[in-house]
Amino acid sequence: MEVSHSIKERTIAENSLVILLQGLHGQVTTVDLRDESTATGRITNVDAFMNVRLAEVTFTDRQGTVSHLDELFVTGRNVRYVHIPDEVDIRATIERQLQAIHRVRFFGGRDKGRKEFPRAKHK
Amino acid sequence: MLLNIHRVQQTTNTVEEPLDLIRLSLDERIYVKMRNDRELRGRLHAYDQHLNMILGDVEETVTTIEIDEETYEEIYKSTKRNIPMLFVRGDGVVLVAPPLRVG
């Protein structure tokens, strides 16, 4: 599972719907941009700020001109819509992503590893 | 499908803040007014504190105003399209309401 290496990004993702987009890794989707252009391609990465990386992209600009790009990076702010493919089970995708984050968080078990939320030393 | 992500730890049944009013519309059809003269009508599957939303069976209406060059009258044109499942970024959302009833 592709979980961010940053604690801050994990927490942001865990508390918002971006986590669904992160679960769409590898899916071919269409992203409608704020400036009315659209990009259809395979999602390779989505971060907590909704920045999206796509591969094998068909890009249709505002005027309707179609072009093909190997890779495209879209800033989160410029996303208007993401079309979710019909085959995606939204609830299962979100739960899978949350489980991946929790696995990373609790890596090493109770007494090993660096704690994301350290236990108080004195109660 | 009911998904309440905006409050992760607890899910109360009372209405305490404006976002709770949206919670009442989960799994119902809603009307969303967006920036740039757009409107969405669809079934609300999920939302979060940014008003990012997942809408199913969506109809998007884009309204444009054209000015007739001779009479200078304003002609309202709207373009609709249907999308089965849509993720909407919250910063484009202006308001959320139950579907408007015409007439």
mmCIF file of all heavy atoms in Angstrom, chain B residues 37-64:
data_model
loop_
_atom_site.group_PDB
_atom_site.id
_atom_site.type_symbol
_atom_site.label_atom_id
_atom_site.label_comp_id
_atom_site.label_asym_id
_atom_site.label_seq_id
_atom_site.Cartn_x
_atom_site.Cartn_y
_atom_site.Cartn_z
ATOM 1 N N ASP B 37 -20.604 29.455 -11.684
ATOM 2 C CA ASP B 37 -21.944 29.220 -12.238
ATOM 3 C C ASP B 37 -22.225 27.750 -12.495
ATOM 4 O O ASP B 37 -22.785 27.396 -13.528
ATOM 5 C CB ASP B 37 -22.119 30.005 -13.557
ATOM 6 C CG ASP B 37 -21.836 31.477 -13.362
ATOM 7 O OD1 ASP B 37 -22.477 32.072 -12.469
ATOM 8 O OD2 ASP B 37 -20.967 32.020 -14.070
ATOM 9 N N ARG B 38 -21.816 26.907 -11.556
ATOM 10 C CA ARG B 38 -22.109 25.499 -11.720
ATOM 11 C C ARG B 38 -23.022 25.023 -10.619
ATOM 12 O O ARG B 38 -22.999 25.546 -9.508
ATOM 13 C CB ARG B 38 -20.817 24.671 -11.632
ATOM 14 C CG ARG B 38 -20.036 24.662 -12.895
ATOM 15 C CD ARG B 38 -18.570 24.351 -12.630
ATOM 16 N NE ARG B 38 -17.804 24.788 -13.773
ATOM 17 C CZ ARG B 38 -17.526 24.008 -14.820
ATOM 18 N NH1 ARG B 38 -17.909 22.755 -14.832
ATOM 19 N NH2 ARG B 38 -16.866 24.490 -15.843
ATOM 20 N N GLU B 39 -23.822 24.027 -10.936
ATOM 21 C CA GLU B 39 -24.670 23.409 -9.919
ATOM 22 C C GLU B 39 -24.593 21.904 -10.077
ATOM 23 O O GLU B 39 -24.460 21.393 -11.183
ATOM 24 C CB GLU B 39 -26.132 23.845 -10.097
ATOM 25 C CG GLU B 39 -26.355 25.323 -9.918
ATOM 26 C CD GLU B 39 -27.645 25.766 -10.596
ATOM 27 O OE1 GLU B 39 -28.719 25.577 -10.017
ATOM 28 O OE2 GLU B 39 -27.553 26.284 -11.729
ATOM 29 N N LEU B 40 -24.670 21.228 -8.945
ATOM 30 C CA LEU B 40 -24.672 19.775 -8.986
ATOM 31 C C LEU B 40 -25.906 19.272 -8.271
ATOM 32 O O LEU B 40 -26.316 19.829 -7.259
ATOM 33 C CB LEU B 40 -23.428 19.212 -8.268
ATOM 34 C CG LEU B 40 -22.059 19.561 -8.829
ATOM 35 C CD1 LEU B 40 -20.974 19.047 -7.902
ATOM 36 C CD2 LEU B 40 -21.887 18.951 -10.201
ATOM 37 N N ARG B 41 -26.481 18.212 -8.816
ATOM 38 C CA ARG B 41 -27.572 17.535 -8.113
ATOM 39 C C ARG B 41 -27.185 16.069 -8.080
ATOM 40 O O ARG B 41 -26.963 15.460 -9.129
ATOM 41 C CB ARG B 41 -28.894 17.703 -8.874
ATOM 42 C CG ARG B 41 -29.637 18.963 -8.531
ATOM 43 C CD ARG B 41 -30.942 19.055 -9.319
ATOM 44 N NE ARG B 41 -31.637 20.274 -9.011
ATOM 45 C CZ ARG B 41 -31.281 21.487 -9.445
ATOM 46 N NH1 ARG B 41 -30.236 21.604 -10.224
ATOM 47 N NH2 ARG B 41 -31.966 22.555 -9.091
ATOM 48 N N GLY B 42 -27.100 15.534 -6.853
ATOM 49 C CA GLY B 42 -26.696 14.139 -6.793
ATOM 50 C C GLY B 42 -26.946 13.574 -5.412
ATOM 51 O O GLY B 42 -27.429 14.271 -4.510
ATOM 52 N N ARG B 43 -26.593 12.302 -5.229
ATOM 53 C CA ARG B 43 -26.786 11.649 -3.937
ATOM 54 C C ARG B 43 -25.499 11.784 -3.140
ATOM 55 O O ARG B 43 -24.428 11.396 -3.608
ATOM 56 C CB ARG B 43 -27.132 10.169 -4.152
ATOM 57 C CG ARG B 43 -27.479 9.430 -2.881
ATOM 58 C CD ARG B 43 -28.021 8.045 -3.196
ATOM 59 N NE ARG B 43 -29.187 8.120 -4.057
ATOM 60 C CZ ARG B 43 -30.419 8.340 -3.615
ATOM 61 N NH1 ARG B 43 -30.656 8.467 -2.335
ATOM 62 N NH2 ARG B 43 -31.427 8.424 -4.469
ATOM 63 N N LEU B 44 -25.599 12.307 -1.929
ATOM 64 C CA LEU B 44 -24.417 12.541 -1.103
ATOM 65 C C LEU B 44 -23.983 11.245 -0.439
ATOM 66 O O LEU B 44 -24.683 10.694 0.396
ATOM 67 C CB LEU B 44 -24.733 13.594 -0.037
ATOM 68 C CG LEU B 44 -23.587 13.925 0.910
ATOM 69 C CD1 LEU B 44 -22.461 14.595 0.151
ATOM 70 C CD2 LEU B 44 -24.071 14.836 2.026
ATOM 71 N N HIS B 45 -22.801 10.752 -0.816
ATOM 72 C CA HIS B 45 -22.299 9.529 -0.195
ATOM 73 C C HIS B 45 -21.334 9.832 0.948
ATOM 74 O O HIS B 45 -21.271 9.090 1.915
ATOM 75 C CB HIS B 45 -21.591 8.657 -1.237
ATOM 76 C CG HIS B 45 -22.538 8.011 -2.195
ATOM 77 N ND1 HIS B 45 -23.422 7.036 -1.807
ATOM 78 C CD2 HIS B 45 -22.747 8.202 -3.508
ATOM 79 C CE1 HIS B 45 -24.136 6.656 -2.855
ATOM 80 N NE2 HIS B 45 -23.753 7.348 -3.893
ATOM 81 N N ALA B 46 -20.549 10.890 0.813
ATOM 82 C CA ALA B 46 -19.580 11.209 1.863
ATOM 83 C C ALA B 46 -19.189 12.668 1.763
ATOM 84 O O ALA B 46 -19.300 13.285 0.693
ATOM 85 C CB ALA B 46 -18.343 10.330 1.726
ATOM 86 N N TYR B 47 -18.723 13.219 2.885
ATOM 87 C CA TYR B 47 -18.235 14.592 2.865
ATOM 88 C C TYR B 47 -17.186 14.689 3.959
ATOM 89 O O TYR B 47 -17.057 13.807 4.806
ATOM 90 C CB TYR B 47 -19.379 15.590 3.112
ATOM 91 C CG TYR B 47 -19.901 15.561 4.516
ATOM 92 C CD1 TYR B 47 -19.461 16.485 5.460
ATOM 93 C CD2 TYR B 47 -20.808 14.582 4.918
ATOM 94 C CE1 TYR B 47 -19.915 16.436 6.758
ATOM 95 C CE2 TYR B 47 -21.263 14.535 6.214
ATOM 96 C CZ TYR B 47 -20.821 15.463 7.133
ATOM 97 O OH TYR B 47 -21.272 15.408 8.427
ATOM 98 N N ASP B 48 -16.424 15.797 3.940
ATOM 99 C CA ASP B 48 -15.490 16.004 5.043
ATOM 100 C C ASP B 48 -15.512 17.475 5.437
ATOM 101 O O ASP B 48 -16.313 18.246 4.929
ATOM 102 C CB ASP B 48 -14.084 15.514 4.677
ATOM 103 C CG ASP B 48 -13.425 16.353 3.592
ATOM 104 O OD1 ASP B 48 -13.969 17.411 3.222
ATOM 105 O OD2 ASP B 48 -12.356 15.949 3.110
ATOM 106 N N GLN B 49 -14.628 17.865 6.343
ATOM 107 C CA GLN B 49 -14.670 19.223 6.899
ATOM 108 C C GLN B 49 -14.333 20.275 5.858
ATOM 109 O O GLN B 49 -14.646 21.443 6.038
ATOM 110 C CB GLN B 49 -13.725 19.354 8.109
ATOM 111 C CG GLN B 49 -12.258 19.266 7.779
ATOM 112 C CD GLN B 49 -11.759 17.832 7.741
ATOM 113 O OE1 GLN B 49 -12.486 16.899 7.402
ATOM 114 N NE2 GLN B 49 -10.510 17.629 8.086
ATOM 115 N N HIS B 50 -13.688 19.892 4.778
ATOM 116 C CA HIS B 50 -13.381 20.876 3.729
ATOM 117 C C HIS B 50 -14.533 20.999 2.755
ATOM 118 O O HIS B 50 -14.477 21.803 1.828
ATOM 119 C CB HIS B 50 -12.146 20.438 2.940
ATOM 120 C CG HIS B 50 -10.947 20.211 3.797
ATOM 121 N ND1 HIS B 50 -10.337 21.223 4.497
ATOM 122 C CD2 HIS B 50 -10.253 19.095 4.090
ATOM 123 C CE1 HIS B 50 -9.317 20.730 5.171
ATOM 124 N NE2 HIS B 50 -9.243 19.431 4.951
ATOM 125 N N LEU B 51 -15.566 20.187 2.961
ATOM 126 C CA LEU B 51 -16.670 20.057 2.022
ATOM 127 C C LEU B 51 -16.242 19.365 0.742
ATOM 128 O O LEU B 51 -16.908 19.479 -0.291
ATOM 129 C CB LEU B 51 -17.318 21.411 1.700
ATOM 130 C CG LEU B 51 -18.643 21.648 2.437
ATOM 131 C CD1 LEU B 51 -18.613 21.152 3.849
ATOM 132 C CD2 LEU B 51 -19.026 23.106 2.379
ATOM 133 N N ASN B 52 -15.126 18.632 0.775
ATOM 134 C CA ASN B 52 -14.887 17.656 -0.277
ATOM 135 C C ASN B 52 -16.060 16.693 -0.190
ATOM 136 O O ASN B 52 -16.490 16.324 0.898
ATOM 137 C CB ASN B 52 -13.596 16.857 -0.048
ATOM 138 C CG ASN B 52 -12.347 17.698 -0.094
ATOM 139 O OD1 ASN B 52 -12.274 18.666 -0.837
ATOM 140 N ND2 ASN B 52 -11.359 17.327 0.715
ATOM 141 N N MET B 53 -16.604 16.290 -1.338
ATOM 142 C CA MET B 53 -17.781 15.417 -1.279
ATOM 143 C C MET B 53 -17.679 14.319 -2.314
ATOM 144 O O MET B 53 -17.018 14.470 -3.338
ATOM 145 C CB MET B 53 -19.046 16.232 -1.556
ATOM 146 C CG MET B 53 -19.375 17.221 -0.465
ATOM 147 S SD MET B 53 -20.952 18.024 -0.740
ATOM 148 C CE MET B 53 -20.495 19.137 -2.008
ATOM 149 N N ILE B 54 -18.357 13.240 -2.023
ATOM 150 C CA ILE B 54 -18.514 12.189 -3.021
ATOM 151 C C ILE B 54 -19.997 12.141 -3.354
ATOM 152 O O ILE B 54 -20.826 11.913 -2.476
ATOM 153 C CB ILE B 54 -18.043 10.834 -2.494
ATOM 154 C CG1 ILE B 54 -16.574 10.938 -2.144
ATOM 155 C CG2 ILE B 54 -18.266 9.754 -3.533
ATOM 156 C CD1 ILE B 54 -15.986 9.655 -1.678
ATOM 157 N N LEU B 55 -20.311 12.393 -4.615
ATOM 158 C CA LEU B 55 -21.710 12.417 -5.046
ATOM 159 C C LEU B 55 -21.939 11.327 -6.076
ATOM 160 O O LEU B 55 -21.119 11.118 -6.969
ATOM 161 C CB LEU B 55 -22.048 13.773 -5.683
ATOM 162 C CG LEU B 55 -22.003 14.991 -4.766
ATOM 163 C CD1 LEU B 55 -22.219 16.253 -5.569
ATOM 164 C CD2 LEU B 55 -23.065 14.884 -3.693
ATOM 165 N N GLY B 56 -23.060 10.653 -5.950
ATOM 166 C CA GLY B 56 -23.407 9.617 -6.920
ATOM 167 C C GLY B 56 -24.545 10.080 -7.800
ATOM 168 O O GLY B 56 -25.351 10.909 -7.395
ATOM 169 N N ASP B 57 -24.599 9.537 -9.030
ATOM 170 C CA ASP B 57 -25.690 9.878 -9.955
ATOM 171 C C ASP B 57 -25.842 11.376 -10.105
ATOM 172 O O ASP B 57 -26.907 11.934 -9.890
ATOM 173 C CB ASP B 57 -27.026 9.344 -9.426
ATOM 174 C CG ASP B 57 -27.250 7.911 -9.830
ATOM 175 O OD1 ASP B 57 -26.831 7.558 -10.949
ATOM 176 O OD2 ASP B 57 -27.809 7.167 -9.022
ATOM 177 N N VAL B 58 -24.757 12.016 -10.500
ATOM 178 C CA VAL B 58 -24.710 13.477 -10.467
ATOM 179 C C VAL B 58 -25.141 14.076 -11.796
ATOM 180 O O VAL B 58 -24.792 13.576 -12.859
ATOM 181 C CB VAL B 58 -23.276 13.951 -10.188
ATOM 182 C CG1 VAL B 58 -23.238 15.439 -10.058
ATOM 183 C CG2 VAL B 58 -22.742 13.293 -8.959
ATOM 184 N N GLU B 59 -25.874 15.177 -11.695
ATOM 185 C CA GLU B 59 -26.128 15.974 -12.884
ATOM 186 C C GLU B 59 -25.481 17.329 -12.662
ATOM 187 O O GLU B 59 -25.810 18.024 -11.696
ATOM 188 C CB GLU B 59 -27.637 16.134 -13.085
ATOM 189 C CG GLU B 59 -27.984 16.917 -14.332
ATOM 190 C CD GLU B 59 -29.438 17.364 -14.310
ATOM 191 O OE1 GLU B 59 -29.778 18.182 -13.440
ATOM 192 O OE2 GLU B 59 -30.202 16.874 -15.149
ATOM 193 N N GLU B 60 -24.539 17.697 -13.533
ATOM 194 C CA GLU B 60 -23.876 18.987 -13.406
ATOM 195 C C GLU B 60 -24.502 19.952 -14.406
ATOM 196 O O GLU B 60 -24.681 19.612 -15.580
ATOM 197 C CB GLU B 60 -22.378 18.857 -13.716
ATOM 198 C CG GLU B 60 -21.636 20.188 -13.593
ATOM 199 C CD GLU B 60 -20.336 20.231 -14.383
ATOM 200 O OE1 GLU B 60 -20.290 19.647 -15.483
ATOM 201 O OE2 GLU B 60 -19.375 20.845 -13.907
ATOM 202 N N THR B 61 -24.835 21.143 -13.923
ATOM 203 C CA THR B 61 -25.403 22.167 -14.804
ATOM 204 C C THR B 61 -24.459 23.345 -14.826
ATOM 205 O O THR B 61 -24.145 23.911 -13.777
ATOM 206 C CB THR B 61 -26.775 22.641 -14.265
ATOM 207 O OG1 THR B 61 -27.591 21.506 -14.032
ATOM 208 C CG2 THR B 61 -27.449 23.555 -15.272
ATOM 209 N N VAL B 62 -23.984 23.713 -16.014
ATOM 210 C CA VAL B 62 -23.132 24.887 -16.164
ATOM 211 C C VAL B 62 -23.948 25.949 -16.884
ATOM 212 O O VAL B 62 -24.467 25.701 -17.976
ATOM 213 C CB VAL B 62 -21.870 24.567 -16.994
ATOM 214 C CG1 VAL B 62 -20.944 25.761 -17.009
ATOM 215 C CG2 VAL B 62 -21.163 23.345 -16.435
ATOM 216 N N THR B 63 -24.069 27.124 -16.268
ATOM 217 C CA THR B 63 -24.911 28.176 -16.856
ATOM 218 C C THR B 63 -24.037 29.279 -17.418
ATOM 219 O O THR B 63 -23.121 29.756 -16.744
ATOM 220 C CB THR B 63 -25.844 28.762 -15.779
ATOM 221 O OG1 THR B 63 -26.578 27.690 -15.191
ATOM 222 C CG2 THR B 63 -26.809 29.754 -16.395
ATOM 223 N N THR B 64 -24.312 29.655 -18.648
ATOM 224 C CA THR B 64 -23.563 30.756 -19.257
ATOM 225 C C THR B 64 -24.536 31.809 -19.749
ATOM 226 O O THR B 64 -25.684 31.517 -20.068
ATOM 227 C CB THR B 64 -22.736 30.268 -20.464
ATOM 228 O OG1 THR B 64 -23.594 29.572 -21.353
ATOM 229 C CG2 THR B 64 -21.616 29.353 -20.030
#
